[in-house]
Amino acid sequence: MYIIFGASSFIGVYTVEEFLKHGEKVVVTGRNNKFRDHYEKLGVEYINLDLVNKSDFEKLPKEGVKGCILLGGLLPANAPINLDEDENADEYFAVNTIGTINVLEYCRKNGIGRLISNCSYADVSGAWGKRVISEDEPRDYKFTGDHAVYVFSKNAANDVMEYYNQQHKMKNAWFRFPPVYGVGPHDSLYVNGELKKSGLKIFIDNASEGKDICIFGNPDLSRDVVYVKDVARAYWLAMQSSRTYGLYNMTSGKGVSLQRQAEVIAELWAPSPNKKSRITYDSSIVNNTPSYVFSMKKAKRDFNFIPQYSDFEVMMSDYKKDLDANKFQELFHYVK
């Protein structure tokens, strides 16, 4: 069996779905009980677990566990903290770093040889826009902003995972994600404590109503994104390979421009052929995130991972199909 920590999450539900597709027994944990019914209907055992509470780990199986996946954590997008007024640095380290250590200790004590988790793509933000980023890129990140301490906490967690690799002979790994697209709770997110509608949601809403889609800043700015079903499949493939070890970029491996995103969304979500959104531009509003693209050679080499949804139109066509089918709507309450 496999244990998936943080299965009451966007990536979690797709990852469990992928493992079940391969006939595996899965035990999942989470803190949100609305996911309990979802998993019990699938025949999956759901255990309430707080990553920070060591005693909660006594609820978990002690034998027969092939490996663990850690998807739970505290993210800036879910934290309503305005850093000009308050601070939550301790919470990031408690959940993301100490929580990871608690999972590693559970694995070590019970002879489980592998944990796969994740890290922040902003740990190499200093290289964005300069070159294709491989796993060998030195860390270079900001010490200000609402993502800063999140990056610190994930870096510390990943360093401890490598410590367990070397000290306790484990084969842990972690994935570096850019933004992950797919049906889930993406309507709004917190930016320095303020809840804002996501750019993706704004594009889709405007396209659905035939309204103009406005691109801020440089329309040729290109970013590497990844589809949630590719991520879920990568977790499965990585868990099966004896070569899996350390850091992996987990992206589409290619950039998609803001112009291309707007064009695809305008086409797919047009309410009718005669009411397709017009794309407009406002260069006076600067887009603060530069272009970036990540190399995918290591994942292909070690566990034969090739993204199936690297083409943005293919990705968003599948996204819309799932959205129209109300996939996971009872979990994420996505409103069309």
Side-chain angles (χ1 to χ4, degrees), residues 120-128 133-141 151 176 247 249 294:
S120 171
Y121 75 125
D123 67 342
V124 288
S125 59
W128 290 355
I133 299 170
S134 75
E135 290 83 356
D136 294 327
E137 182 72 34
R139 287 174 178 166
D140 185 358
Y141 44 84
V151 173
R176 177 191 279 145
L247 168 65
N249 292 330
F294 294 86

Side-chain angles (χ1 to χ4, degrees), residues 11 71-80 88 92 95-96 118 146-147 150 154 190:
I11 296 175
L71 299 171
L74 178 61
L75 286 77
N78 300 329
N88 64 337
Y92 282 111
V95 176
N96 297 338
N118 55 63
D146 64 349
H147 275 67
Y150 171 70
K154 294 300 290 187
Y190 285 101

Side-chain angles (χ1 to χ4, degrees), residues 36-100:
R36 180 181 295 279
D37 288 344
H38 167 75
Y39 285 120
E40 288 182 348
K41 288 175 183 176
L42 296 174
V44 173
E45 182 180 1
Y46 183 86
I47 298 173
N48 281 112
L49 182 140
D50 184 344
L51 293 172
V52 180
N53 188 346
K54 288 184 178 181
S55 64
D56 279 2
F57 288 80
E58 295 301 317
K59 306 174 187 176
L60 300 175
K62 302 286 193 298
E63 298 178 349
V65 180
K66 299 178 184 178
C68 297
I69 293 174
L70 174 57
L71 299 171
L74 178 61
L75 286 77
N78 300 329
I81 301 294
N82 184 325
L83 294 178
D84 296 326
E85 302 171 356
D86 205 350
E87 184 56 74
N88 64 337
D90 59 333
E91 295 179 8
Y92 282 111
F93 278 91
V95 176
N96 297 338
T97 308
I98 301 302
T100 298

Side-chain angles (χ1 to χ4, degrees), residues 69-255:
I69 293 174
L70 174 57
L71 299 171
L74 178 61
L75 286 77
N78 300 329
I81 301 294
N82 184 325
L83 294 178
D84 296 326
E85 302 171 356
D86 205 350
E87 184 56 74
N88 64 337
D90 59 333
E91 295 179 8
Y92 282 111
F93 278 91
V95 176
N96 297 338
T97 308
I98 301 302
T100 298
I101 293 171
N102 288 340
V103 177
L104 287 165
E105 271 296 280
Y106 162 73
C107 291
R108 183 187 67 82
K109 291 176 180 177
N110 294 286
I112 303 165
R114 172 172 288 160
L115 171 67
I116 304 181
S117 187
N118 55 63
C119 70
S120 171
Y121 75 125
D123 67 342
V124 288
S125 59
W128 290 355
K130 299 177 182 178
R131 52 190 163 269
V132 175
I133 299 170
S134 75
E135 290 83 356
D136 294 327
E137 182 72 34
R139 287 174 178 166
D140 185 358
Y141 44 84
K142 296 179 180 178
F143 282 79
T144 58
D146 64 349
H147 275 67
V149 179
Y150 171 70
V151 173
F152 308 158
S153 69
K154 294 300 290 187
N155 285 349
N158 301 146
D159 287 347
V160 175
M161 292 178 73
E162 180 58 25
Y163 163 75
Y164 272 74
N165 282 345
Q166 297 191 29
Q167 180 67 31
H168 299 296
K169 311 305 178 187
M170 295 181 70
K171 296 192 72 174
N172 301 314
W174 48 99
F175 291 170
R176 177 191 279 145
F177 298 137
V180 181
Y181 286 8
V183 174
H186 308 298
D187 295 4
S188 300
L189 46 84
Y190 285 101
V191 179
N192 195 28
E194 182 181 353
L195 192 64
K196 295 185 176 182
K197 185 183 286 191
S198 70
L200 179 66
K201 176 64 172 170
I202 291 171
F203 275 20
I204 290 174
D205 283 352
N206 286 359
S208 298
E209 299 174 24
K211 295 180 179 178
D212 290 353
I213 296 176
C214 184
I215 298 175
F216 298 145
N218 179 9
D220 296 323
L221 189 150
S222 180
R223 294 173 182 162
D224 193 342
V225 299
V226 66
Y227 194 48
V228 66
K229 292 182 182 179
D230 276 335
V231 170
R233 189 169 61 88
Y235 274 118
W236 162 255
L237 290 171
M239 195 60 81
Q240 310 312 308
S241 173
S242 62
R243 297 188 65 178
T244 301
Y245 186 106
L247 168 65
Y248 291 90
N249 292 330
M250 194 46 56
T251 73
S252 68
K254 63 172 67 174

